[in-house]
Amino acid sequence: MAHDTHIHVRSQAEFEYTKKKRAEEMRGHLATFAIMIFLTLIAFTMVTAGFSAYLIVPIVLLLAAIQVVLQLYYFMHMSGKGHGMVAFFMFCGMFVAFITILALVTIVWW
C-alpha cells in the first residue's frame, strides 16, 4: 500500500520558520524552568533560615501558586493558539477556588 502514503516536503523557508519557532519555544521553556528553580530556592532558603511559620506559609503558598501558573502556561502549552478560552476558564476556576479557600480559612481563623 505504498501508494497511499503522502510525503510533504518542506521548503527551505518553512524549515527555517519551524526551526526559529522551536528555538523561541525552547528559550521560553528554559527561562521558565530557571524562574521556577529560583522560586524553589527562595522557599527552601526561607524554611532553612528559620523564619516564623506565619511568614513562611503564605509566601511558600504564593510561590507555589506562581509555579502552577507557569507550569500550566508554558509546559502545558496554554500559551499556544486555540487555548485562550480553556486557559481563561481554568484560571477563573483557580481564582474562584482561591477566594473560596481564603474565605473559609478567614471564617475559621477568626
Side-chain angles (χ1 to χ4, degrees), residues 44-81:
F44 181 74
T45 304
M46 287 181 59
V47 171
T48 57
F51 290 123
S52 169
Y54 295 111
L55 176 68
I56 292 175
V57 172
I59 293 176
V60 168
L61 288 176
L62 176 68
L63 294 175
I66 292 170
Q67 285 191 4
V68 166
V69 169
L70 288 174
Q71 290 252 347
L72 287 173
Y73 192 71
Y74 283 102
F75 294 119
M76 300 305 287
H77 304 287
M78 288 291 167
S79 61
K81 288 184 178 179

Side-chain angles (χ1 to χ4, degrees), residues 31-47:
T32 303
F33 180 71
I35 290 169
M36 288 191 294
I37 293 296
F38 181 69
L39 293 176
T40 303
L41 288 175
I42 290 172
F44 181 74
T45 304
M46 287 181 59
V47 171

